Amino acid sequence: MQVEHSRRSPAYWNHLYEAGYRVKEPEAFERQMFRKYVMAKAGQLAVDVGTGRGHMAAHMARWGLMVLAYDFSSVAIADARTSQQSGGDELTFAEHDFTTDAIPPELVPGTVDVISCRHSFEFLDRARFLTDARRWLTSAGVLQITTHRARRMSPGAAHQGLRDEEIEGLRRGWRYMTTYGLDGDDSLIGIVLRGPR
């Protein structure tokens, strides 16, 4: 289970969730920064990739966004459907693997306003996902990534984060890029990529 590529498999994450693993729920400051930099508005369509137990997806739904939330862990999705019922009709959970599965038919090109990847981007096939994300988003759409800086992570951490050069490389294919800190030592960061091109 310590092989890096195994961390990208549904079986690996199903095992972790069954053992009680949980991603920490986004605190008020993280949510505030998300709203400030993403500029999410009620009525927009959002996609939450790697939703886990669905905390961020549920917050977006409470803000009035229509949210499609995906995870490739069947255990996580079952948990999210049970624990996030307050999202109501604005929130839909589905099991999906963005690396191996065909694109969900509901992700119509040019219709998505916000894509959120909270602690999930590092586990995706990044080249494929970025190409797809730019296609799904509107011309002013936003891809928001919450991740750690790899140089700040311990070797055994489940989330290895992104190297500085990987973060900087994300600028390609977008009109604007903004980063913001989410902790005191610049380990946890938010990345906003706006305007796919």
Side-chain angles (χ1 to χ4, degrees), residues 1-193:
M1 287 288 185
Q2 295 303 313
V3 180
E4 179 63 32
H5 66 79
S6 73
R7 295 178 179 172
R8 298 183 182 184
S9 74
Y12 175 86
W13 290 99
N14 281 338
H15 174 75
L16 283 188
Y17 279 110
E18 287 168 346
Y21 172 82
R22 298 292 182 265
V23 175
K24 186 178 178 183
E25 183 173 357
E27 295 180 355
F29 178 69
E30 181 180 343
R31 300 194 307 268
Q32 176 186 356
M33 296 296 277
F34 182 100
R35 296 189 77 175
K36 174 182 177 180
Y37 284 97
V38 173
M39 295 183 283
K41 299 177 181 65
Q44 289 183 323
L45 176 59
V47 174
D48 192 32
V49 175
T51 194
R53 297 187 68 213
H55 292 300
M56 183 56 83
H59 283 294
M60 288 192 285
R62 285 193 284 273
W63 300 335
L65 284 77
M66 297 291 296
V67 185
L68 303 172
Y70 301 94
D71 201 288
F72 66 2
S73 166
S74 58
V75 176
I77 289 297
D79 194 353
R81 285 178 175 148
T82 301
S83 61
Q84 305 298 344
Q85 293 178 349
S86 63
D89 293 339
E90 309 295 307
L91 178 55
T92 303
F93 289 105
E95 184 181 342
H96 184 78
D97 187 335
F98 281 96
T99 297
T100 62
D101 294 347
I103 294 171
E106 58 271 24
L107 295 185
V108 177
T111 63
V112 178
D113 299 292
V114 177
I115 300 174
S116 171
C117 294
R118 184 173 186 263
H119 302 297
S120 60
F121 182 75
E122 53 267 51
F123 301 106
L124 297 169
D125 177 335
R126 296 174 202 167
R128 175 188 172 181
F129 180 76
L130 287 169
T131 298
D132 289 340
R134 285 193 294 268
R135 186 181 306 117
W136 300 327
L137 286 166
T138 65
S139 60
V142 173
L143 170 59
Q144 192 279 344
I145 299 166
T146 301
T147 190
H148 287 91
R149 292 187 184 275
R151 59 184 161 83
R152 300 279 189 179
M153 300 301 291
S154 61
H159 292 284
Q160 289 300 300
L162 298 176
R163 298 189 308 275
D164 290 343
E165 59 270 23
E166 291 174 319
I167 294 168
E168 186 59 29
L170 290 173
R171 292 183 185 275
R172 291 188 296 275
W174 303 87
R175 291 185 183 87
Y176 307 102
M177 173 175 163
T178 304
T179 62
Y180 54 90
L182 290 169
D183 59 11
D185 65 358
D186 199 32
S187 169
L188 182 64
I189 62 169
I191 303 167
V192 172
L193 303 168

